[in-house]
Amino acid sequence: VPPGEIVIANTSAPPQENKVENIGMAACLLIKDDNDRLPEWIAYHYHTLPLRRLVVAVDPTSSESPHELLGRWISRPDLGLEVSVWEDNHFMPD
């Protein structure tokens, strides 16, 4: 191509389709008696990251359980958010 000339490429080929599924982030959250903050935290990170996998580790000294609260996401597989709850036997040594 001589200097100063503009070359226009042929872009008639269709764009590649994105074949990757479940694009998003994963998080591990250690929670102790902060159930009132959990819905907002999950909703915010679900939409901004997007959060698609969450492991909630419950502190063994916690006085409240997040199980009932997390049920709203666990019971909705259509959202694409996989939630696991770990009790102390999952991450604390004997």
Side-chain angles (χ1 to χ4, degrees):
V1 176
E5 285 193 28
I6 298 174
V7 176
I8 300 175
N10 180 0
T11 58
S12 62
Q16 288 183 328
E17 292 182 27
N18 187 355
K19 299 288 184 186
V20 179
E21 294 181 17
N22 297 328
I23 296 175
M25 297 293 295
C28 183
L29 177 67
L30 177 61
I31 188 167
K32 179 182 178 182
D33 302 329
D34 281 330
N35 286 358
D36 56 326
R37 297 179 182 192
L38 195 55
E40 182 181 357
W41 189 94
I42 293 173
Y44 174 81
H45 290 88
Y46 176 82
H47 289 287
T48 58
L49 287 179
L51 182 65
R52 294 299 179 258
R53 173 82 170 101
L54 177 62
V55 175
V56 179
V58 182
D59 187 289
T61 62
S62 182
S63 64
E64 55 187 26
S65 170
H67 287 277
E68 183 178 338
L69 192 108
L70 292 170
R72 69 176 75 166
W73 287 279
I74 293 171
S75 66
R76 293 281 313 270
D78 58 306
L79 292 176
L81 176 61
E82 184 182 343
V83 179
S84 300
V85 180
W86 288 6
E87 302 294 338
D88 60 334
N89 61 335
H90 288 98
F91 60 93
M92 297 289 291
D94 290 330

